[in-house]
């Protein structure tokens, strides 16, 4: 059954500027500005309540299509969190025998991974734009990725994880690798 009209709204936090022009959303805060394009979705996006909230509306949609309203609102609230607090992914180096050695070069833009399972090859992973990587000051064998864009930060973490996959062995036994241990918006 089709729903005639469905509407979702999210509040704009203080200290964040947002502009919406033909489904292009641009959010500016203290950690820079982020853009996101929603032109591929059949929805209406506009600023309501004197620019204090973002509204999304959809007409004549089935329940599967209505789900994109909530998704768009989640994406926009992730943009708010990104420019306000930044996102942080913590990754742990896990090894049974050969200690993995991770070096951060290029001013936090590149990580070099050595001695994974005793292999001589050096794995180099470049961070996506706007993402920086650091070694954790308090915890041994921990990498911390931070960036304003949740997608680029998460994808950078995935690139690091995928660079250290165990090939041609039983992965239930060989658990070595670099795994995401926690992620979310940074606590100020």
């Amino acid at each position: 059954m089709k729903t005639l009209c469905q509407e979702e709204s999210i509040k704009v936090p203080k200290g964040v500027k947002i502009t919406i022009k033909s489904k292009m959303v641009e959010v500016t805060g203290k950690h820079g500005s982020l853009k996101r394009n929603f032109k591929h979705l059949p929805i209406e996006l506009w600023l309501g309540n004197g620019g204090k909230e973002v509204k999304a509306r959809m007409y004549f949609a089935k329940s599967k299509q209505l789900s994109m309203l909530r998704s768009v609102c989640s994406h926009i609230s992730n943009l708010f969190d990104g420019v306000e607090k930044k996102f942080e992914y913590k990754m742990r180096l896990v090894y049974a025998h050969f200690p993995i050695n991770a070096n951060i070069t290029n001013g936090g833009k590149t990580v070099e991974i050595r001695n994974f399972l005793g292999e001589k090859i050096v794995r180099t992973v470049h961070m996506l734009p706007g993402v920086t990587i650091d070694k954790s000051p308090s915890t041994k064998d921990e990498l911390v990725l931070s960036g304003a864009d949740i997608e680029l930060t998460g994808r950078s973490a995935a690139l690091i994880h995928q660079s250290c996959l165990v090939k041609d062995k039983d992965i239930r036994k060989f658990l070595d690798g670099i795994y995401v241990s926690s992620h979310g918006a940074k606590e100020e």
Side-chain angles (χ1 to χ4, degrees), residues 140-158:
K140 181 178 169 276
D141 290 336
E142 187 171 62
L143 302 173
V144 180
L145 287 83
S146 60
D149 191 330
I150 188 171
E151 303 225 335
L152 294 176
T153 315
R155 273 171 53 203
S156 301

Side-chain angles (χ1 to χ4, degrees), residues 56-74:
R57 184 193 286 156
M58 198 171 191
Y59 294 99
F60 302 115
K62 296 189 171 140
S63 61
K64 272 276 171 66
Q65 288 139 352
L66 285 178
S67 62
M68 62 179 125
L69 271 182
R70 193 60 188 262
S71 299
V72 166
C73 288
S74 300

Side-chain angles (χ1 to χ4, degrees), residues 76-136:
I76 294 173
S77 72
N78 279 338
L79 296 182
F80 290 153
D81 285 352
V83 296
E84 270 194 305
K85 309 179 214 168
K86 280 196 163 183
F87 286 99
E88 184 174 70
Y89 278 69
K90 291 188 172 170
M91 303 187 80
R92 297 297 297 267
L93 311 180
V94 178
Y95 49 84
H97 187 276
F98 293 103
I100 302 172
N101 184 333
N103 280 339
I104 289 150
T105 54
N106 207 351
K109 294 269 173 237
T110 312
V111 60
E112 290 176 350
I113 299 151
R114 291 185 165 78
N115 200 31
F116 172 70
L117 289 183
E119 295 171 8
K120 291 279 177 244
I121 184 172
V122 177
R123 295 165 162 80
T124 309
V125 183
H126 299 288
M127 297 296 102
L128 296 165
V131 182
T132 54
I133 185 166
D134 234 341
K135 282 192 171 170
S136 167

